[in-house]
Amino acid sequence: MKGLRFSKFTPPPKGDSGFDNLSKVFFQLLNYTSGDVSEALNWMNDLDRQHGLTDDSYGMGDFIRDLNDKGFIKEESSEKGTFKLTGKSEQVIRRNALEEIFGKLKKNQKGNHNTSKTGLGDEPSADIRPYQFGDALDSINITDSLHTAQINHGIDEFKLTHEDLQVQEKEHKSQTSTVLMIDISHSMILYGEDRITPAKKVAMALAELVKVKYPKDTLDIIVFGNDAWPVEIKDLPYLEVGPYHTNTYAGLELAMDILRRRKTNNKQIFMITDGKPTCLKVGTKYYKNSFGLDRKVVNKTLEMAGQCRRLNIPITTFMIAKDPYLQQFVQEFTKTNNGRAFYSSLTGLGEYIFEDFIRNRKKTVR
Protein backbone atom coordinates (compact mmCIF):
# COMPACT_ATOMS: atom_id res chain seq x y z
CA MET A 1 0.00 0.00 0.00
CA LYS A 2 1.33 3.38 -1.00
CA GLY A 3 2.18 5.69 1.88
CA LEU A 4 1.61 9.43 2.20
CA ARG A 5 4.01 11.80 0.50
CA PHE A 6 4.67 15.27 1.85
CA SER A 7 6.09 18.13 -0.18
CA LYS A 8 6.71 21.80 0.40
CA PHE A 9 3.48 23.78 0.63
CA THR A 10 3.23 26.61 -1.85
CA PRO A 11 0.36 28.96 -1.03
CA PRO A 12 -1.93 29.92 -3.91
CA PRO A 13 -1.27 33.24 -5.60
CA LYS A 14 -2.87 36.26 -3.97
CA GLY A 15 -3.94 37.79 -7.21
CA ASP A 16 -7.52 38.47 -6.16
CA SER A 17 -6.97 39.16 -2.47
CA GLY A 18 -6.20 42.83 -3.07
CA PHE A 19 -9.29 43.19 -5.21
CA ASP A 20 -11.49 41.34 -2.72
CA ASN A 21 -10.41 43.52 0.18
CA LEU A 22 -10.84 46.77 -1.71
CA SER A 23 -14.18 45.74 -3.22
CA LYS A 24 -15.68 45.31 0.25
CA VAL A 25 -14.87 48.93 1.01
CA PHE A 26 -15.97 50.10 -2.43
CA PHE A 27 -19.42 48.51 -2.29
CA GLN A 28 -20.01 49.88 1.21
CA LEU A 29 -19.10 53.38 0.07
CA LEU A 30 -21.56 53.14 -2.83
CA ASN A 31 -24.39 53.07 -0.29
CA TYR A 32 -23.29 56.47 1.00
CA THR A 33 -22.60 58.03 -2.40
CA SER A 34 -25.99 56.92 -3.80
CA GLY A 35 -24.29 54.82 -6.45
CA ASP A 36 -21.90 57.55 -7.64
CA VAL A 37 -18.82 55.57 -8.75
CA SER A 38 -16.51 58.57 -9.11
CA GLU A 39 -17.29 59.87 -5.63
CA ALA A 40 -16.79 56.40 -4.11
CA LEU A 41 -13.40 56.05 -5.83
CA ASN A 42 -12.35 59.52 -4.64
CA TRP A 43 -13.23 58.49 -1.09
CA MET A 44 -11.20 55.32 -1.55
CA ASN A 45 -8.18 57.32 -2.68
CA ASP A 46 -8.51 59.47 0.44
CA LEU A 47 -8.74 56.36 2.62
CA ASP A 48 -5.76 54.87 0.83
CA ARG A 49 -3.64 57.94 1.62
CA GLN A 50 -4.72 57.87 5.27
CA HIS A 51 -4.73 54.14 5.99
CA GLY A 52 -2.63 52.49 3.27
CA LEU A 53 -5.27 50.30 1.62
CA THR A 54 -2.96 49.42 -1.28
CA ASP A 55 0.72 48.55 -1.70
CA ASP A 56 3.29 48.38 -4.49
CA SER A 57 1.99 45.01 -5.71
CA TYR A 58 -1.64 46.14 -6.12
CA GLY A 59 -2.57 49.78 -6.50
CA MET A 60 -5.80 51.72 -6.88
CA GLY A 61 -5.32 51.83 -10.64
CA ASP A 62 -5.21 48.02 -10.68
CA PHE A 63 -8.42 47.95 -8.69
CA ILE A 64 -10.25 50.29 -11.08
CA ARG A 65 -9.06 48.23 -14.06
CA ASP A 66 -10.28 45.01 -12.38
CA LEU A 67 -13.67 46.55 -11.56
CA ASN A 68 -14.06 47.33 -15.24
CA ASP A 69 -12.71 44.00 -16.50
CA LYS A 70 -14.88 41.98 -14.12
CA GLY A 71 -18.02 43.83 -15.24
CA PHE A 72 -18.78 45.77 -12.03
CA ILE A 73 -18.47 49.19 -13.64
CA LYS A 74 -18.52 50.49 -17.18
CA GLU A 75 -17.35 53.71 -18.76
CA GLU A 76 -19.92 56.39 -19.41
CA SER A 77 -20.42 56.82 -23.13
CA SER A 78 -21.02 60.55 -22.77
CA GLU A 79 -17.85 61.37 -20.84
CA LYS A 80 -14.58 59.50 -21.09
CA GLY A 81 -12.95 58.57 -17.79
CA THR A 82 -16.16 58.44 -15.76
CA PHE A 83 -17.89 55.23 -14.78
CA LYS A 84 -21.31 53.96 -13.77
CA LEU A 85 -22.48 50.80 -12.04
CA THR A 86 -23.66 47.71 -13.89
CA GLY A 87 -26.52 45.39 -12.96
CA LYS A 88 -23.92 43.00 -11.56
CA SER A 89 -22.81 45.62 -9.03
CA GLU A 90 -26.38 46.47 -8.08
CA GLN A 91 -26.99 42.82 -7.25
CA VAL A 92 -23.79 42.64 -5.19
CA ILE A 93 -24.89 45.68 -3.16
CA ARG A 94 -28.28 44.07 -2.46
CA ARG A 95 -26.66 40.75 -1.54
CA ASN A 96 -24.17 42.44 0.79
CA ALA A 97 -27.00 44.29 2.51
CA LEU A 98 -28.88 41.01 2.94
CA GLU A 99 -25.85 39.27 4.45
CA GLU A 100 -25.13 42.20 6.75
CA ILE A 101 -28.66 42.32 8.17
CA PHE A 102 -29.85 38.74 7.83
CA GLY A 103 -26.60 37.40 9.22
CA LYS A 104 -27.36 39.04 12.56
CA LEU A 105 -30.64 37.23 12.96
CA LYS A 106 -31.14 33.82 14.47
CA LYS A 107 -31.97 31.09 11.99
CA ASN A 108 -35.69 30.67 11.39
CA GLN A 109 -37.71 27.83 9.94
CA LYS A 110 -37.33 27.18 6.25
CA GLY A 111 -40.25 27.84 3.98
CA ASN A 112 -42.60 30.75 3.66
CA HIS A 113 -44.20 33.02 6.20
CA ASN A 114 -45.75 31.43 9.27
CA THR A 115 -49.38 32.14 10.05
CA SER A 116 -51.45 31.92 13.19
CA LYS A 117 -53.53 29.12 11.65
CA THR A 118 -52.64 25.51 12.39
CA GLY A 119 -54.23 22.20 11.50
CA LEU A 120 -54.30 21.00 7.92
CA GLY A 121 -51.38 23.07 6.82
CA ASP A 122 -48.29 22.75 4.68
CA GLU A 123 -45.31 22.58 7.03
CA PRO A 124 -44.81 20.78 10.37
CA SER A 125 -44.78 23.04 13.43
CA ALA A 126 -43.42 22.41 16.91
CA ASP A 127 -46.92 21.93 18.36
CA ILE A 128 -48.02 18.42 19.39
CA ARG A 129 -51.59 17.56 20.45
CA PRO A 130 -53.68 14.42 21.05
CA TYR A 131 -55.19 12.71 18.03
CA GLN A 132 -58.77 13.69 17.14
CA PHE A 133 -61.24 11.94 14.86
CA GLY A 134 -60.71 13.17 11.30
CA ASP A 135 -56.99 13.84 11.61
CA ALA A 136 -54.94 12.55 8.69
CA LEU A 137 -52.91 9.42 9.48
CA ASP A 138 -49.74 10.95 8.06
CA SER A 139 -49.94 13.68 10.70
CA ILE A 140 -49.43 11.19 13.56
CA ASN A 141 -46.08 11.67 15.25
CA ILE A 142 -44.82 8.13 15.93
CA THR A 143 -42.06 9.10 18.35
CA ASP A 144 -44.33 11.16 20.60
CA SER A 145 -47.10 8.56 20.36
CA LEU A 146 -44.77 5.76 21.56
CA HIS A 147 -43.47 7.98 24.32
CA THR A 148 -47.01 8.74 25.50
CA ALA A 149 -47.93 5.03 25.39
CA GLN A 150 -44.90 4.17 27.52
CA ILE A 151 -45.90 6.76 30.09
CA ASN A 152 -49.52 5.63 30.13
CA HIS A 153 -49.01 1.83 30.17
CA GLY A 154 -45.45 1.18 31.28
CA ILE A 155 -42.71 -0.78 29.54
CA ASP A 156 -43.66 -4.27 30.82
CA GLU A 157 -47.19 -4.31 29.36
CA PHE A 158 -46.57 -1.99 26.48
CA LYS A 159 -49.49 -1.24 24.15
CA LEU A 160 -50.48 1.59 21.85
CA THR A 161 -54.09 2.77 22.06
CA HIS A 162 -56.16 5.43 20.39
CA GLU A 163 -55.69 7.69 23.41
CA ASP A 164 -51.89 7.53 23.09
CA LEU A 165 -51.72 8.88 19.55
CA GLN A 166 -50.14 12.30 19.16
CA VAL A 167 -50.52 14.55 16.14
CA GLN A 168 -48.02 17.12 14.93
CA GLU A 169 -49.68 20.34 13.91
CA LYS A 170 -48.87 21.93 10.59
CA GLU A 171 -48.51 25.57 9.75
CA HIS A 172 -49.85 27.14 6.60
CA LYS A 173 -47.37 28.73 4.26
CA SER A 174 -48.68 32.04 3.00
CA GLN A 175 -47.87 34.28 0.12
CA THR A 176 -47.54 37.88 1.16
CA SER A 177 -47.71 41.15 -0.74
CA THR A 178 -45.65 43.85 0.92
CA VAL A 179 -45.26 47.54 0.15
CA LEU A 180 -42.21 49.19 1.69
CA MET A 181 -42.56 52.97 2.07
CA ILE A 182 -39.38 55.03 2.49
CA ASP A 183 -39.45 58.63 3.67
CA ILE A 184 -37.10 60.74 1.52
CA SER A 185 -37.99 64.12 3.03
CA HIS A 186 -35.19 66.53 3.90
CA SER A 187 -35.26 65.60 7.58
CA MET A 188 -33.77 62.20 6.71
CA ILE A 189 -30.35 63.89 6.54
CA LEU A 190 -30.84 66.74 9.00
CA TYR A 191 -28.95 67.28 12.26
CA GLY A 192 -25.82 65.55 10.97
CA GLU A 193 -27.48 62.11 10.98
CA ASP A 194 -27.66 59.99 7.84
CA ARG A 195 -30.98 58.17 8.06
CA ILE A 196 -31.52 57.45 4.38
CA THR A 197 -28.55 55.07 3.95
CA PRO A 198 -29.78 52.55 6.57
CA ALA A 199 -33.26 52.78 5.03
CA LYS A 200 -31.85 52.03 1.56
CA LYS A 201 -29.82 49.11 2.91
CA VAL A 202 -32.93 47.60 4.47
CA ALA A 203 -34.89 48.02 1.23
CA MET A 204 -32.14 46.36 -0.82
CA ALA A 205 -31.75 43.51 1.65
CA LEU A 206 -35.50 42.93 1.84
CA ALA A 207 -35.74 42.92 -1.96
CA GLU A 208 -32.97 40.33 -2.20
CA LEU A 209 -34.55 38.22 0.56
CA VAL A 210 -37.93 38.13 -1.18
CA LYS A 211 -36.28 37.31 -4.51
CA VAL A 212 -34.22 34.44 -3.08
CA LYS A 213 -36.27 33.00 -0.24
CA TYR A 214 -39.87 34.01 -0.98
CA PRO A 215 -40.08 34.10 -4.78
CA LYS A 216 -43.87 33.81 -4.74
CA ASP A 217 -44.19 36.98 -2.65
CA THR A 218 -44.42 40.46 -4.11
CA LEU A 219 -42.48 43.44 -2.83
CA ASP A 220 -43.18 46.96 -4.07
CA ILE A 221 -41.11 49.90 -2.91
CA ILE A 222 -42.34 53.48 -2.92
CA VAL A 223 -40.74 56.70 -1.75
CA PHE A 224 -42.61 59.69 -0.41
CA GLY A 225 -41.76 63.36 -0.01
CA ASN A 226 -44.09 66.07 -1.30
CA ASP A 227 -45.55 63.31 -3.51
CA ALA A 228 -45.18 59.53 -3.65
CA TRP A 229 -43.98 57.36 -6.49
CA PRO A 230 -42.80 53.75 -7.00
CA VAL A 231 -39.15 52.89 -7.54
CA GLU A 232 -37.63 49.82 -9.15
CA ILE A 233 -35.38 47.52 -7.15
CA LYS A 234 -32.48 48.37 -9.47
CA ASP A 235 -32.91 52.06 -8.56
CA LEU A 236 -32.45 51.56 -4.81
CA PRO A 237 -28.67 52.22 -4.62
CA TYR A 238 -29.25 55.62 -6.23
CA LEU A 239 -31.97 56.92 -3.88
CA GLU A 240 -31.32 60.38 -2.47
CA VAL A 241 -33.12 62.68 -0.08
CA GLY A 242 -34.75 65.70 -1.70
CA PRO A 243 -35.86 69.15 -0.51
CA TYR A 244 -39.22 67.66 0.37
CA HIS A 245 -41.82 67.79 3.10
CA THR A 246 -43.48 64.56 4.31
CA ASN A 247 -46.68 63.62 2.50
CA THR A 248 -47.47 60.38 4.35
CA TYR A 249 -51.04 60.49 3.03
CA ALA A 250 -49.83 60.26 -0.59
CA GLY A 251 -47.54 57.36 0.28
CA LEU A 252 -50.34 55.38 1.93
CA GLU A 253 -52.74 56.15 -0.89
CA LEU A 254 -50.30 54.79 -3.47
CA ALA A 255 -49.53 51.74 -1.32
CA MET A 256 -53.24 50.92 -1.06
CA ASP A 257 -53.69 51.28 -4.81
CA ILE A 258 -50.84 48.81 -5.39
CA LEU A 259 -52.12 46.28 -2.86
CA ARG A 260 -55.68 46.40 -4.22
CA ARG A 261 -54.32 44.93 -7.45
CA ARG A 262 -52.54 42.07 -5.67
CA LYS A 263 -54.41 38.76 -5.57
CA THR A 264 -52.81 37.48 -2.36
CA ASN A 265 -54.82 37.31 0.85
CA ASN A 266 -52.00 38.60 3.05
CA LYS A 267 -51.11 42.22 2.49
CA GLN A 268 -49.02 44.59 4.56
CA ILE A 269 -47.32 47.97 4.53
CA PHE A 270 -43.95 48.70 6.11
CA MET A 271 -43.20 52.39 6.56
CA ILE A 272 -39.76 53.80 7.44
CA THR A 273 -39.96 57.40 8.58
CA ASP A 274 -38.27 59.79 10.97
CA GLY A 275 -40.93 62.40 11.38
CA LYS A 276 -44.44 63.67 11.29
CA PRO A 277 -46.64 64.21 8.21
CA THR A 278 -46.24 67.81 7.11
CA CYS A 279 -47.74 67.98 3.64
CA LEU A 280 -50.90 67.32 1.62
CA LYS A 281 -51.67 67.87 -2.02
CA VAL A 282 -54.92 69.77 -2.45
CA GLY A 283 -55.80 69.95 -6.14
CA THR A 284 -52.66 71.14 -7.88
CA LYS A 285 -51.23 72.91 -4.83
CA TYR A 286 -49.43 71.72 -1.73
CA TYR A 287 -50.59 72.42 1.79
CA LYS A 288 -47.47 72.45 4.02
CA ASN A 289 -46.79 73.03 7.69
CA SER A 290 -43.51 71.91 9.25
CA PHE A 291 -44.23 73.43 12.66
CA GLY A 292 -45.77 70.97 15.09
CA LEU A 293 -48.55 68.53 14.24
CA ASP A 294 -50.99 70.21 11.89
CA ARG A 295 -54.43 68.73 12.59
CA LYS A 296 -55.51 69.07 8.96
CA VAL A 297 -52.58 66.94 7.80
CA VAL A 298 -52.75 64.55 10.75
CA ASN A 299 -56.49 63.91 10.39
CA LYS A 300 -56.19 63.09 6.69
CA THR A 301 -53.30 60.73 7.44
CA LEU A 302 -55.27 59.01 10.22
CA GLU A 303 -58.21 58.71 7.84
CA MET A 304 -56.00 56.79 5.41
CA ALA A 305 -54.77 54.55 8.24
CA GLY A 306 -58.40 53.73 9.02
CA GLN A 307 -59.09 52.86 5.37
CA CYS A 308 -56.17 50.44 5.41
CA ARG A 309 -57.59 48.81 8.52
CA ARG A 310 -60.98 48.33 6.86
CA LEU A 311 -59.20 46.62 3.95
CA ASN A 312 -57.30 44.35 6.40
CA ILE A 313 -53.97 45.93 5.48
CA PRO A 314 -51.87 46.35 8.62
CA ILE A 315 -49.22 49.06 8.69
CA THR A 316 -45.98 48.50 10.57
CA THR A 317 -44.25 51.80 11.25
CA PHE A 318 -40.51 51.92 11.89
CA MET A 319 -39.90 55.24 13.60
CA ILE A 320 -36.27 56.34 13.60
CA ALA A 321 -36.76 59.42 15.74
CA LYS A 322 -37.25 59.65 19.50
CA ASP A 323 -39.14 62.92 20.00
CA PRO A 324 -41.99 62.21 22.47
CA TYR A 325 -44.61 64.17 20.55
CA LEU A 326 -43.73 62.32 17.34
CA GLN A 327 -44.01 58.99 19.12
CA GLN A 328 -47.41 60.10 20.39
CA PHE A 329 -48.54 60.63 16.80
CA VAL A 330 -47.24 57.20 15.81
CA GLN A 331 -49.14 55.63 18.70
CA GLU A 332 -52.37 57.30 17.54
CA PHE A 333 -51.68 56.28 13.94
CA THR A 334 -50.98 52.68 14.97
CA LYS A 335 -54.12 52.47 17.09
CA THR A 336 -56.25 53.75 14.21
CA ASN A 337 -54.84 51.14 11.85
CA ASN A 338 -54.57 48.36 14.47
CA GLY A 339 -51.03 47.91 13.20
CA ARG A 340 -47.64 47.82 14.88
CA ALA A 341 -44.92 50.33 15.63
CA PHE A 342 -41.22 50.03 16.41
CA TYR A 343 -39.08 52.86 17.73
CA SER A 344 -35.77 51.81 16.28
CA SER A 345 -32.24 53.09 16.27
CA LEU A 346 -30.52 53.31 12.91
CA THR A 347 -28.24 50.40 13.77
CA GLY A 348 -31.14 48.12 14.70
CA LEU A 349 -33.52 49.08 11.91
CA GLY A 350 -32.70 46.13 9.65
CA GLU A 351 -33.05 43.54 12.39
CA TYR A 352 -36.43 44.95 13.45
CA ILE A 353 -37.83 44.85 9.93
CA PHE A 354 -36.48 41.40 9.09
CA GLU A 355 -37.74 39.84 12.31
CA ASP A 356 -41.17 41.33 11.76
CA PHE A 357 -41.24 40.24 8.13
CA ILE A 358 -40.07 36.67 8.68
CA ARG A 359 -41.81 35.96 11.97
CA ASN A 360 -45.05 37.63 11.08
CA ARG A 361 -47.57 35.32 12.71
CA LYS A 362 -50.51 37.71 12.63
CA LYS A 363 -51.34 36.97 9.01
CA THR A 364 -54.20 34.59 8.34
CA VAL A 365 -54.94 32.46 5.31
CA ARG A 366 -58.54 32.94 4.20
Side-chain angles (χ1 to χ4, degrees):
M1 180 172 137
K2 212 173 203 179
L4 297 175
R5 286 189 176 183
F6 295 94
S7 61
K8 183 179 177 181
F9 173 71
T10 304
K14 297 183 178 180
D16 281 344
S17 62
F19 175 82
D20 292 340
N21 293 331
L22 291 175
S23 64
K24 292 175 184 176
V25 179
F26 175 69
F27 286 118
Q28 279 290 340
L29 289 176
L30 287 170
N31 290 307
Y32 296 94
T33 65
S34 297
D36 188 319
V37 174
S38 297
E39 187 178 357
L41 291 174
N42 284 331
W43 282 16
M44 289 197 70
N45 278 310
D46 289 340
L47 290 170
D48 187 25
R49 283 193 293 270
Q50 295 178 42
H51 303 287
L53 300 183
T54 64
D55 54 32
D56 293 342
S57 64
Y58 193 85
M60 197 59 67
D62 297 315
F63 176 65
I64 296 172
R65 183 201 63 225
D66 284 347
L67 281 174
N68 191 35
D69 292 345
K70 293 174 184 289
F72 291 109
I73 60 175
K74 60 182 179 182
E75 199 165 7
E76 294 267 22
S77 56
S78 57
E79 189 175 347
K80 191 173 179 61
T82 60
F83 298 93
K84 64 178 181 180
L85 294 178
T86 63
K88 183 178 180 180
S89 279
E90 292 163 1
Q91 185 179 26
V92 169
I93 296 171
R94 293 197 304 270
R95 190 178 300 138
N96 288 347
L98 175 62
E99 290 174 357
E100 178 182 334
I101 295 171
F102 195 63
K104 297 177 183 177
L105 299 177
K106 293 180 179 179
K107 295 295 183 182
N108 285 283
Q109 294 183 47
K110 295 180 180 179
N112 294 319
H113 309 293
N114 298 326
T115 71
S116 58
K117 257 193 171 180
T118 57
L120 297 177
D122 308 296
E123 183 173 305
S125 75
D127 297 327
I128 302 292
R129 62 168 174 81
Y131 175 85
Q132 297 174 354
F133 178 77
D135 287 333
L137 294 179
D138 62 359
S139 66
I140 294 174
N141 187 299
I142 299 299
T143 302
D144 281 276
S145 298
L146 293 173
H147 180 66
T148 303
Q150 183 180 347
I151 293 173
N152 291 341
H153 311 294
I155 194 67
D156 295 329
E157 298 184 9
F158 180 79
K159 58 182 177 179
L160 182 66
T161 67
H162 174 272
E163 288 76 15
D164 302 322
L165 297 178
Q166 301 294 307
V167 168
Q168 186 165 23
E169 294 273 29
K170 290 186 178 181
E171 294 177 341
H172 292 264
K173 292 190 292 186
S174 62
Q175 295 178 24
T176 300
S177 292
T178 303
V179 172
L180 177 62
M181 295 173 51
I182 302 176
D183 184 350
I184 59 167
S185 63
H186 186 56
S187 61
M188 291 288 278
I189 54 169
L190 278 181
Y191 316 116
E193 189 170 46
D194 177 11
R195 296 166 175 171
I196 189 63
T197 299
K200 285 196 302 185
K201 275 191 177 183
V202 167
M204 290 187 288
L206 196 57
E208 194 67 10
L209 177 73
V210 169
K211 183 178 179 181
V212 173
K213 191 172 183 180
Y214 305 113
K216 294 182 180 179
D217 281 13
T218 64
L219 175 66
D220 294 276
I221 300 170
I222 63 177
V223 294
F224 62 105
N226 291 349
D227 298 287
W229 60 94
V231 295
E232 299 291 331
I233 290 175
K234 65 181 179 62
D235 298 327
L236 287 173
Y238 312 103
L239 281 186
E240 294 182 276
V241 168
Y244 306 126
H245 289 70
T246 308
N247 192 343
T248 310
Y249 179 91
L252 293 171
E253 186 176 42
L254 177 57
M256 285 177 59
D257 287 343
I258 291 171
L259 290 175
R260 280 195 189 99
R261 298 193 293 269
R262 300 301 182 194
K263 303 303 181 183
T264 54
N265 291 321
N266 300 326
K267 303 175 182 182
Q268 61 186 351
I269 296 173
F270 285 173
M271 179 169 64
I272 304 174
T273 184
D274 72 329
K276 56 190 179 294
T278 60
C279 177
L280 289 172
K281 193 168 186 180
V282 182
T284 58
K285 296 183 178 181
Y286 294 98
Y287 175 86
K288 304 173 183 177
N289 183 1
S290 298
F291 302 97
L293 287 167
D294 187 300
R295 290 314 305 178
K296 180 175 181 178
V297 179
V298 168
N299 286 339
K300 289 290 288 183
T301 305
L302 293 176
E303 178 185 312
M304 188 60 69
Q307 287 187 37
C308 288
R309 179 178 181 172
R310 288 189 287 276
L311 292 173
N312 294 314
I313 301 175
I315 303 168
T316 304
T317 305
F318 298 91
M319 187 69 171
I320 48 179
K322 298 180 180 179
D323 309 62
Y325 82 102
L326 293 179
Q327 292 189 2
Q328 186 177 358
F329 160 72
V330 172
Q331 288 171 1
E332 186 178 3
F333 178 86
T334 303
K335 183 178 179 181
T336 302
N337 173 256
N338 196 28
R340 303 177 71 185
F342 294 92
Y343 305 96
S344 170
S345 66
L346 292 175
T347 55
L349 178 63
E351 286 81 356
Y352 271 119
I353 290 182
F354 269 56
E355 285 177 353
D356 198 60
F357 181 80
I358 296 171
R359 300 175 185 177
N360 190 347
R361 300 178 185 278
K362 297 179 70 176
K363 305 296 177 205
T364 56
V365 179
R366 297 179 185 86

